[in-house]
Amino acid sequence: MFNFMDPDFLARRCVWVNGPVIVGAGPSGLAVGACLKEQGIPFVILEKTDCIASLWQKRTYDRLKLHLPKQFCQLPKFPFPDHYPEYPNKKQFIDYLESYATHFDINPQFNECVQSAKYDEACRLWRVKTVSTNGSTRSDVEYFCQWLVVATGENAERMVPDIDGLKEFGGEVLHACDYKSGEKFRGKKVLVVGCGNSGMEVSLDLCNHEAQPSMVVRSSVHVLPREICGRPTFELAMFMLKWLPLWLVDKLLLVLAWFILGNIEKYGLKRPSLGPLQLKNTKGKTPVLDIGALEKIRSGEINVVPGIRRFACGMVELVDGEMLNIDAVVLATGYSSNVPYWLQEAEFFSRDGFPKSPFPNGWKGKDGLYAVGFTRRGLSGASADATKIAQDIGKVWKEDLKQKKQKVPTHRRCISQF
């Protein structure tokens, strides 16, 4: 409930948003904004960094490309340019997102970090508190809105495992989000912790820059060819799912992968018991689409090693007792949601920062709360969520316009319209 004598409230500039507040200016937030624009619904996008798609612009390696064909990665109402390759690279995808924002006239509020967001039962509005930094100037703002769209995504924060002795290692340790190129590791022995798409690509990039990577494979992993018979594997899987049950498509993919890639278990890459699509749907674990790393593993240029027991000065001890001398460590250990740090809500989101309701019902909560980009189905899942969210808000918006009963805060002290 409002407490107008609260010093924290009095110190903040208050803004009434005549539409939803969207937290996050990545692809998910931009997609929701574009769909709302098409319906003439105003909105505010809050972004804690100084650019759109900060994950892509600031926390990805140079050689990154989209893992899936572009037709499965385009955002709503705006296809990729025809001249783009099937798998656009990092720069091309960023250019696409910049063009997307320009085309739909989306202008996020940059350098505005959300500190908290809470639904106020008394005034039936969301209260979103932010800290805005502009050089040496700081300002505190509180937004009031009827709808809140969480678009911070699955990969907001790096995950750094607590490994015994890592602080005593002494060499360079960096997360994959800070890795740009293998150039500075030329001639060095590098331990890559993680065997997902990032771990495989970082290891391949290190090889291409004449480093000596060892890749830690602690758990099982599905490795599939990126293309089968000249067609993208993902496209083939989506086609088969139109006619066949998921379990059968999984079996067919694994048979085809065996014919193309051979038996990968003899290289230390054990396959999970669940099929690649079932594992993705139930656990959110994405299969690795091979773009050349497997060839380097076969040749011994990428050394596959088991789990880590502990680090020591300049070396690592593996669970099988082997000791490796290494110069640097790259942690390709994934990312996590940051929603629990700022959203004060416990019914819709779980403690891990993902909606409790499984796909396809994890996009809508109660009291005007929405989530986009948490389906573990990549950009196509985010686009589908964005479309549904905009349509759902649009229904209420149009009804409100018809009845001319927009809900506005009763207290007008320094509350500006947005």
Side-chain angles (χ1 to χ4, degrees):
M1 187 171 179
F2 287 112
N3 180 2
F4 300 124
M5 300 309 295
D6 182 0
D8 181 61
F9 177 79
L10 294 172
R12 291 180 179 273
R13 181 169 66 91
C14 299
V15 178
W16 161 248
V17 180
N18 193 22
V21 165
I22 303 167
V23 183
S28 297
L30 296 178
V32 176
C35 293
L36 291 170
K37 277 274 185 178
E38 289 285 281
Q39 299 188 63
I41 301 173
F43 59 88
V44 170
I45 298 182
L46 303 177
E47 169 56 44
K48 67 178 181 179
T49 68
D50 60 357
C51 63
I52 65 168
S54 62
L55 176 66
W56 278 86
Q57 299 214 46
K58 298 186 176 185
R59 295 187 289 158
T60 50
Y61 39 90
D62 295 342
R63 65 162 289 127
L64 180 64
K65 294 184 178 181
L66 292 177
H67 292 132
L68 301 179
K70 62 183 181 182
Q71 65 265 33
F72 297 105
C73 300
Q74 64 191 25
L75 300 184
K77 309 176 188 300
F78 196 77
F80 280 97
D82 291 337
H83 67 273
Y84 269 34
E86 190 152 37
Y87 300 94
N89 61 31
K90 172 182 174 177
K91 183 182 183 306
Q92 290 168 327
F93 186 59
I94 292 171
D95 288 345
Y96 167 76
L97 294 177
E98 295 279 8
S99 298
Y100 191 85
T102 300
H103 178 79
F104 290 102
D105 193 26
I106 299 172
N107 300 291
Q109 300 287 103
F110 292 118
N111 298 309
E112 196 147 357
C113 182
V114 174
Q115 301 293 294
S116 68
K118 183 178 182 180
Y119 187 73
D120 192 315
E121 296 282 355
C123 60
R124 300 175 66 185
L125 293 171
W126 285 93
R127 301 176 64 177
V128 184
K129 297 180 181 180
T130 71
V131 172
S132 176
T133 54
N134 186 7
S136 59
T137 305
R138 166 185 164 139
S139 62
D140 297 335
V141 182
E142 184 165 9
Y143 294 89
F144 296 83
C145 57
Q146 187 177 347
W147 301 283
L148 178 66
V149 181
V150 179
T152 47
E154 306 165 3
N155 303 316
E157 302 292 336
R158 70 187 74 186
M159 291 180 64
V160 178
D162 184 14
I163 306 176
D164 188 28
L166 185 58
K167 292 181 180 178
E168 287 74 48
F169 166 60
E172 183 174 5
V173 179
L174 70 160
H175 193 273
C177 66
D178 297 316
Y179 177 94
K180 298 303 177 186
S181 165
E183 178 61 38
K184 73 173 183 176
F185 298 104
R186 192 177 297 272
K188 294 184 178 181
K189 297 176 180 178
V190 184
L191 185 73
V192 179
V193 183
C195 59
N197 279 296
S198 293
M200 289 278 191
E201 283 202 45
V202 167
S203 297
L204 176 60
D205 189 59
L206 288 165
C207 275
N208 292 340
H209 286 91
E210 299 179 3
Q212 301 169 49
S214 294
M215 183 175 66
V216 176
V217 180
R218 187 170 57 90
S219 56
S220 56
V221 59
H222 277 300
V223 181
L224 303 175
R226 187 167 73 168
E227 295 184 346
I228 295 176
C229 300
R231 300 305 304 160
T233 300
F234 186 78
E235 182 181 310
L236 178 63
M238 293 301 101
F239 174 78
M240 290 193 292
L241 283 172
K242 293 179 180 179
W243 313 100
L244 303 172
L246 185 142
W247 67 267
L248 182 54
V249 174
D250 266 343
K251 287 189 178 296
L252 291 172
L253 287 176
L254 291 177
V255 169
L256 292 169
W258 189 88
F259 275 113
I260 295 170
L261 303 178
N263 179 15
I264 64 171
E265 294 202 4
K266 64 182 179 180
Y267 302 110
L269 302 171
K270 185 179 179 181
R271 289 199 182 276
S273 56
L274 295 178
L277 298 181
Q278 185 180 3
L279 189 66
K280 175 66 175 172
N281 287 349
T282 57
K283 306 292 184 181
K285 191 172 181 181
T286 304
V288 172
L289 296 176
D290 180 54
I291 58 171
L294 199 55
E295 181 183 343
K296 300 292 185 182
I297 292 172
R298 290 195 191 99
S299 68
E301 294 174 78
I302 296 177
N303 179 32
V304 174
V305 299
I308 298 167
R309 179 171 294 163
R310 64 182 178 86
F311 282 94
C313 182
M315 62 178 59
V316 62
E317 180 183 354
L318 305 174
V319 291
D320 61 1
E322 183 182 1
M323 301 289 293
L324 294 179
N325 292 315
I326 52 174
D327 301 304
V329 178
V330 179
L331 300 171
T333 46
Y335 300 86
S336 65
S337 165
N338 68 5
V339 173
Y341 295 107
W342 58 270
L343 182 62
Q344 298 176 24
E345 187 274 344
E347 290 187 32
F348 183 49
F349 279 91
S350 60
R351 289 183 179 179
D352 65 356
F354 282 79
K356 293 179 181 178
S357 300
F359 177 85
N361 301 313
W363 61 277
K364 182 180 179 180
K366 71 173 190 175
D367 300 322
L369 179 62
Y370 298 91
V372 57
F374 292 89
T375 62
R376 294 188 171 99
R377 281 165 171 76
L379 292 165
S380 61
S383 295
D385 283 347
T387 302
K388 289 186 286 189
I389 290 169
Q391 289 173 346
D392 198 62
I393 292 174
K395 292 176 185 176
V396 181
W397 174 264
K398 291 171 185 175
E399 188 64 29
D400 283 352
L401 285 181
K402 189 181 298 183
Q403 298 178 6
K404 295 182 179 180
K405 292 181 180 179
Q406 283 185 311
K407 298 174 183 176
V408 218
T410 56
H411 185 70
R412 302 299 184 107
R413 186 206 61 80
C414 72
I415 295 184
S416 54
Q417 292 272 343
F418 203 106

